[in-house]
Amino acid sequence: MSVQLIRVYVPATLSMLSALRERGEIAGAEAHAVTPALREWYAEGDEEELEYVAFTRAAQGALRLLRHDPAAPRRRVVVSADVPPGAVAREDRELGSSEVRLGHAVALASVAAIHIDGESAADDIAAAADVVEEALAGDPDAQFTVDGAEDHELEWYDVSELETLA
């Protein structure tokens, strides 16, 4: 009998991708996934829509990481990985939450894909990273700036391209 894996979306930075390449794992306690709380909140959403919501929230988590790492290049990174259910603890603090906690680093072998902003997005991402906390606190001007960053779709890369990306 095979174990059903859970797709998680791990917010990251390009610096964290370098660590993934060097250590063969990516550390990060925060991740996003399709949780029961998310399913309940988006009752009309299909699986693909729910995964997009979790992915988008991970991209916003990457903005917060950039805010706290001024040396990292201003590009959001989301690492998609398939992990066993025991590696994930739900954080269903509120209806609609997609946040989960990872019990340990995600091994490179579990990574399904890597998503990164294109270089042309760097200015918008830098501006959004500067005000993401204010946006989360309800500042409408900051939210407008973050929304501008979210207009950029992250590019998809196969895990085999990690050497080139990092």
Side-chain angles (χ1 to χ4, degrees), residues 12-147:
T13 64
L14 287 171
S15 304
M16 293 170 72
L17 279 188
S18 294
L20 173 62
R21 184 189 72 214
E22 292 166 12
R23 295 188 196 109
E25 62 184 22
I26 187 164
E30 176 191 343
H32 292 268
V34 177
T35 63
L38 184 62
R39 284 185 198 284
E40 187 176 343
W41 194 42
Y42 284 95
E44 302 298 317
D46 65 19
E47 193 69 18
E48 188 173 314
E49 291 170 320
L50 295 171
E51 287 181 6
Y52 185 76
V53 169
F55 176 85
T56 301
R57 290 179 179 169
Q60 191 172 60
L63 278 178
R64 288 192 311 277
L65 290 173
L66 289 171
R67 178 169 180 149
H68 299 290
D69 185 359
R74 306 285 95 178
R75 293 166 69 193
R76 295 170 298 172
V77 176
V78 174
V79 175
S80 298
D82 297 316
V83 299
V88 175
R90 289 200 326 257
E91 292 282 321
D92 293 344
R93 295 180 292 213
E94 60 188 53
L95 188 61
S97 175
S98 63
E99 190 172 343
V100 295
R101 291 277 163 211
L102 298 173
H104 51 77
V106 175
L108 180 58
S110 298
V111 174
I114 300 166
H115 313 269
I116 304 174
D117 275 309
E119 289 182 26
S120 64
D123 289 343
D124 289 341
I125 300 307
D130 287 343
V131 298
V132 66
E133 299 296 342
E134 291 83 352
L136 291 170
D139 180 317
D141 291 332
Q143 186 59 55
F144 181 79
T145 302
V146 170
D147 289 346

